[in-house]
Amino acid sequence: RKEVEQDPGPFNVPEGATVAFNCTYSNSASQSFFWYRQDCRKEPKLLMSVYSSGNEDGRFTAQLNRASQYISLLIRDSKLSDSATYLCVVNTGFQKLVFGTGTRLLVSP
Amino acid sequence: DAMVIQNPRYQVTQFGKPVTLSCSQTLNHNVMYWYQQKSSQAPKLLFHYYDKDFNNEADTPDNFQSRRPNTSFCFLDIRSPGLGDAAMYLCATSRDGRTTDQPQHFGDGTRLSIL
């Protein structure tokens, strides 16, 4: 079983749609969680950290369910510029991040 | 302004010819990481430095080495590149790896091609 699992997609949605991604992790001792965005042939960029209480940043909402070991990302009012791969990232301790393979989002006009 | 800078952006080398990729940072972060990312795959951690302490991943081939001569610079050396080493190589930093909520900041990456 992979340490971090994501549906690779692609998720094809129209502009303005709401879309949600889930991610599961296997290590119950994982300590912190992030969503990164990666555009084609570019480096990953931090989108947001994920806190136990859930957190929101504009159109983006992240939630963490430790009991079920999953993390979610909700994007409201999708824009064309949201098209990218979204990487679920888990810090398992010891200065190490474990990346999921990413979920690809395509937003169309 | 770029804070984690990788050079070159694109590197072409011959099969078996040693190659060095460089990374520099202006963030004064303690931890520097090297990842390998192949197409449609997750970034794979090769090794990291916590200050001067080198930490190799168990499955990183011996063909890959790293040097960190000072806080700002870190190098990835591939001693004898094979065709399977063609990938994007990403350098990242984090301020203090002991606190787990620190995100990592990535450079633009170096795309390595092997002829």
Side-chain angles (χ1 to χ4, degrees), chain A residues 31-34 36 38 40-46 49 51 87 91-102, chain B residues 9 31 33 35 37 40-43 45 48 50 55 57 88 90 97-98 100-104 106-109 111:
Chain A
Q31 299 174 30
S32 56
F33 310 88
F34 308 92
Y36 278 73
Q38 187 170 27
C40 187
R41 301 175 75 85
K42 296 287 184 73
E43 78 281 14
K45 292 185 178 177
L46 179 66
S49 301
Y51 302 118
L87 299 166
N91 189 323
T92 58
F94 308 105
Q95 297 111 37
K96 289 172 60 171
L97 296 183
V98 179
F99 287 77
T101 53
Chain B
R9 289 293 306 278
V31 195
Y33 306 80
Y35 290 87
Q37 187 176 25
S40 301
Q41 295 184 20
L45 182 64
H48 74 276
Y50 187 91
N55 299 272
E57 291 302 296
M88 171 84 94
L90 294 160
R98 290 172 299 181
T100 59
D101 63 346
Q102 295 296 313
Q104 293 182 9
F106 285 82
D108 291 342
R111 187 164 295 277

Side-chain angles (χ1 to χ4, degrees), chain B residues 6-108:
Chain B
Q6 291 188 242
N7 283 303
R9 289 293 306 278
Y10 301 92
Q11 175 74 55
V12 181
T13 192
Q14 291 178 329
F15 182 94
K17 185 174 181 181
V19 65
T20 294
L21 310 182
S22 75
C23 177
S24 62
Q25 54 133 340
T26 59
L27 299 164
N28 203 34
H29 282 177
N30 291 335
V31 195
M32 294 187 78
Y33 306 80
W34 279 105
Y35 290 87
Q36 179 193 66
Q37 187 176 25
K38 297 186 177 181
S39 181
S40 301
Q41 295 184 20
K44 178 181 179 298
L45 182 64
L46 295 173
F47 25 59
H48 74 276
Y49 275 92
Y50 187 91
D51 290 332
K52 295 181 181 179
D53 294 333
F54 177 70
N55 299 272
N56 200 28
E57 291 302 296
D59 56 354
T60 298
D62 291 341
N63 199 24
F64 291 86
Q65 304 284 321
S66 186
R67 298 170 282 135
R68 190 179 185 185
N70 53 53
T71 301
S72 300
F73 285 87
C74 195
F75 300 98
L76 169 62
D77 301 307
I78 308 177
R79 292 192 297 189
S80 181
L83 296 178
D85 297 328
M88 171 84 94
Y89 289 88
L90 294 160
C91 174
T93 72
S94 67
R95 185 170 50 144
D96 183 349
R98 290 172 299 181
T99 53
T100 59
D101 63 346
Q102 295 296 313
Q104 293 182 9
H105 302 267
F106 285 82
D108 291 342

Side-chain angles (χ1 to χ4, degrees), chain A residues 63-94:
Chain A
Q63 292 194 313
L64 168 63
N65 184 321
R66 283 189 185 272
S68 301
Q69 295 181 206
Y70 81 78
I71 306 144
S72 65
L73 177 67
L74 182 78
I75 305 175
R76 290 181 299 277
D77 188 22
S78 299
K79 312 291 184 192
L80 294 176
S81 57
D82 293 335
S83 297
T85 297
Y86 291 84
L87 299 166
C88 175
V89 185
V90 173
N91 189 323
T92 58
F94 308 105

Side-chain angles (χ1 to χ4, degrees), chain A residues 3 20 22-23 29 38 53-55 58 78-79 96 101 108:
Chain A
E3 286 191 76
N22 288 330
C23 161
Q38 187 170 27
S53 55
N55 48 300
S78 299
K79 312 291 184 192
K96 289 172 60 171
T101 53
S108 54

Side-chain angles (χ1 to χ4, degrees), chain A residues 11-57:
Chain A
F11 284 59
N12 290 283
V13 303
E15 269 187 294
T18 295
V19 62
F21 309 136
N22 288 330
C23 161
T24 58
Y25 60 95
S26 61
N27 187 341
S28 59
S30 298
Q31 299 174 30
S32 56
F33 310 88
F34 308 92
W35 283 101
Y36 278 73
R37 170 194 169 129
Q38 187 170 27
D39 293 290
C40 187
R41 301 175 75 85
K42 296 287 184 73
E43 78 281 14
K45 292 185 178 177
L46 179 66
L47 181 65
M48 58 197 305
S49 301
V50 186
Y51 302 118
S52 296
S53 55
N55 48 300
E56 189 173 307
D57 183 0

